Amino acid sequence: MIRRLVILAASLALAPSLAAAAPPAWIVDKAASHLTFSSSVSGQAFTGSFRNWNAVIHFDPKDLAHSDVAATIDIASAATGNGDRDTEIPGQDWFWTSHFPRATFVARGFQPAGPGRYLAAGVLTIRDKAKPLTLPFSLAITGASAKMSAQVALNRLAFGVGQGEWQATDTVPAGVTVHIDLAAHRTP
């Protein structure tokens, strides 16, 4: 009984210090942040954006092993500025947003990749297809503000984006480039 009380007291004494060691939370400044993608149709380049998305971020460059991010993208919020293309994007051949309304990226633990550069190894899920993804990014932290920039190439076919006639890559290539420009503020 005494031994249990000693273990319980030691656990309670360590709990506040363990909680204090967690990386700080960062809140995305949505007005200053952008999630875009680029590809082409019949050789004509285009850029689109996701208007609705969010990320829960815990990050400390001195504690990369315990840092994490969970991003959720509302796929139906995709817009390219072309009415025909924007009408097709939510359809069954592309994102099928009625069945798969969200895409997610979850990473737990980061690695340094040079001054102000990091790698987030995680899992990207689109159309319920989860694939490993390493996201290289640059980050500048000034006081309680941070600016992150990333670019990563994806194969849309690996996620089932482009069904039927759109599986062929002669009109729309398999490669899509995703660009992330994110501004965030550390919580107090």
Side-chain angles (χ1 to χ4, degrees):
M1 177 72 168
I2 293 178
R3 182 172 184 223
R4 284 189 213 161
L5 288 174
V6 170
I7 291 172
L8 178 62
S11 296
L12 291 174
L14 288 175
S17 64
L18 292 174
W26 294 81
I27 305 298
V28 176
D29 179 348
K30 292 185 183 181
S33 300
H34 307 283
L35 177 59
T36 62
F37 56 95
S38 58
S39 185
S40 65
V41 176
S42 300
Q44 298 295 313
F46 74 90
T47 300
S49 66
F50 293 102
R51 294 174 298 222
N52 298 323
W53 59 279
N54 197 16
V56 175
I57 305 165
H58 299 96
F59 186 83
D60 183 344
K62 295 177 183 168
D63 190 6
L64 296 176
H66 295 103
S67 296
D68 60 62
V69 63
T72 303
I73 302 102
D74 174 4
I75 296 297
S77 74
T80 66
N82 176 289
D84 291 337
R85 189 168 39 236
D86 290 351
T87 299
E88 292 293 323
I89 287 174
Q92 185 174 350
D93 285 344
W94 293 98
F95 285 111
W96 204 4
T97 59
S98 63
H99 285 74
F100 310 106
R102 285 173 290 289
T104 60
F105 176 70
V106 177
R108 289 182 170 70
F110 295 76
Q111 297 176 354
R117 301 204 47 80
Y118 303 91
L119 299 172
V123 175
L124 176 63
T125 303
I126 302 172
R127 286 184 64 125
D128 273 356
K129 293 188 183 340
K131 304 287 180 188
L133 175 70
T134 298
L135 179 69
F137 65 96
S138 61
L139 179 70
I141 298 175
T142 306
S145 297
K147 291 200 182 273
M148 177 265 218
S149 180
Q151 179 175 306
V152 66
L154 301 177
N155 179 339
R156 67 178 176 83
L157 299 174
F159 296 95
V161 177
Q163 299 285 313
E165 69 178 291
W166 301 110
Q167 287 179 321
T169 58
D170 52 341
T171 303
V172 179
V176 176
T177 304
V178 176
H179 310 269
I180 306 165
D181 290 303
L182 184 143
H185 304 287
R186 186 173 52 230
T187 59

